[in-house]
Amino acid sequence: MPATLAPPTTAIARPLPTAEPTRPAHVAVRALAKSYRTGSDPVPVLRGVDFAVAPGEMVSIVGQSGSGKSTLLHLMGLLDSPDIGEVTLRGERIDDLPERARDRLRNHVFGYVFQFYHLLPELDVLENVLAPLMIRDGFFAYLRNRKAYREQAEAIVARVGLSHRVRHKPKQLSGGEMQRTAIARALVTKPEVLLADEPTGNLDANTGAGILELLSELNRDDGLSIVFVTHDASLAARGHRTVKLVDGRVEEAD
Ligand code: ADP
Ligand code: MG
């Protein structure tokens, strides 16, 4: 009998499993709590936040001003320490590591992008992008690798669409170009996780959409895990998933 006439096997008839196997978290926070002490009483900002980012995932964080979005991003990226709870990278706790190890992770694993770019005004685009390598390696090690680093930085500047601006200083750039420079600077150390705090907060809608398009490309093409904060619902929807902070806790928005 020809194979094409064979009855369907039970294997074909069996329904596919509906649930995806759980992916291990890339970065996660568990039971995270943080208060700030301004007057005599501590003011709680995060009150038990649980939140995980899968490898290659792009997650948006939304929430009212003052809801703790920046605080959460800072804790995830080891820029600050939680009062309670933990931060893990591929399942290993990282928030309680010695300062040197935390420094290493800040320089090698995380990339940071902020609303106000924080570029060095005296340096041009290429020099701003090179700065993290100089800081990470120290001046003499940097000098030894200078040629390779320049090529690396030039490639990243091209990647963010600024090859025609390498010798421009920040004040000669538009807001979108400054943010592209800041993104290139965050990428030059080849991070695994990009943390972006309102990267479009100071940009008009079109320019902001262009920045989100760039982040989406980096996520899709390079597998970069991305967590970004935004006030804009249409930009938040560019993530695979949106997390909302309400009263110091996470409410999954979709
Ligand atoms: P968001 O980014 O969602 O606007 P933040 O995480 O910046 O919120 O801040 C949450 C709350 O914590 C705010 O009420 C803010 O005033 C307060 N806060 C943030 N950083 C500090 C700090 N370093 N010292 C005291 N209070 C702070
Ligand atoms: Mg903020």
Side-chain angles (χ1 to χ4, degrees):
M1 186 167 61
T4 48
L5 295 179
T9 65
T10 50
I12 292 171
R14 199 179 299 146
L16 292 166
T18 48
E20 259 189 56
T22 326
R23 284 190 288 173
H26 197 172
V27 188
V29 301
R30 202 181 59 80
L32 212 61
K34 179 78 180 176
S35 298
Y36 290 113
R37 190 177 289 277
T38 39
S40 51
D41 296 324
V43 179
V45 175
L46 301 180
R47 303 191 297 169
V49 171
D50 292 282
F51 165 48
V53 183
E57 199 178 21
M58 179 159 168
V59 183
S60 50
I61 298 182
V62 299
Q64 289 190 343
S65 184
S67 61
K69 304 181 296 297
S70 294
T71 302
L72 174 58
L73 223 58
H74 291 168
L75 294 175
M76 288 186 84
L78 305 183
L79 298 176
D80 199 359
S81 299
D83 301 332
I84 302 172
E86 57 183 42
V87 183
T88 57
L89 177 72
R90 299 183 191 283
E92 305 279 336
R93 187 165 181 189
I94 56 171
D95 61 282
D96 63 346
L97 293 173
E99 192 52 33
R100 279 177 75 93
R102 287 159 50 92
D103 250 345
R104 229 191 105 70
L105 293 172
R106 284 191 285 260
N107 287 326
H108 290 265
V109 172
F110 295 103
Y112 310 91
V113 174
F114 304 98
Q115 179 176 355
F116 295 108
Y117 328 124
H118 301 311
L119 300 174
L120 294 167
E122 299 307 319
L123 303 185
D124 65 26
V125 166
L126 195 67
E127 291 162 344
N128 265 286
V129 172
L130 282 165
L133 296 174
M134 199 184 290
I135 292 163
R136 185 188 73 184
D137 292 4
F139 187 62
F140 293 107
Y142 171 82
L143 279 187
R144 277 197 300 279
N145 297 310
R146 188 169 41 177
K147 191 162 177 294
Y149 284 170
R150 281 187 74 90
E151 283 167 9
Q152 194 177 317
E154 278 165 2
I156 291 163
V157 168
R159 180 74 200 276
V160 301
L162 287 183
S163 290
H164 57 309
R165 294 280 184 267
V166 270
R167 286 298 164 213
H168 284 56
K169 300 268 174 73
K171 67 169 183 287
Q172 301 170 306
L173 300 173
S174 69
E177 289 170 338
M178 285 195 266
Q179 194 57 295
R180 283 172 189 271
T181 304
I183 291 169
R185 179 186 54 189
L187 295 177
V188 80
T189 51
K190 298 189 164 72
E192 299 174 19
V193 180
L194 191 71
L195 303 172
D197 194 355
E198 306 207 33
T200 66
N202 211 34
L203 302 174
D204 64 66
N206 272 341
T207 309
I211 292 295
L212 249 296
E213 184 53 40
L214 173 61
L215 294 181
S216 296
E217 268 173 39
L218 294 166
N219 168 257
R220 198 174 51 230
D221 301 344
D222 300 6
L224 190 65
S225 299
I226 299 181
V227 184
F228 68 103
V229 172
T230 181
H231 274 113
D232 183 318
S234 68
L235 295 183
R238 302 294 300 266
H240 300 125
R241 185 159 59 92
T242 298
V243 158
K244 188 173 184 183
L245 281 184
V246 180
D247 292 336
R249 292 200 178 85
V250 158
E251 185 185 282
E252 294 268 342
D254 54 47

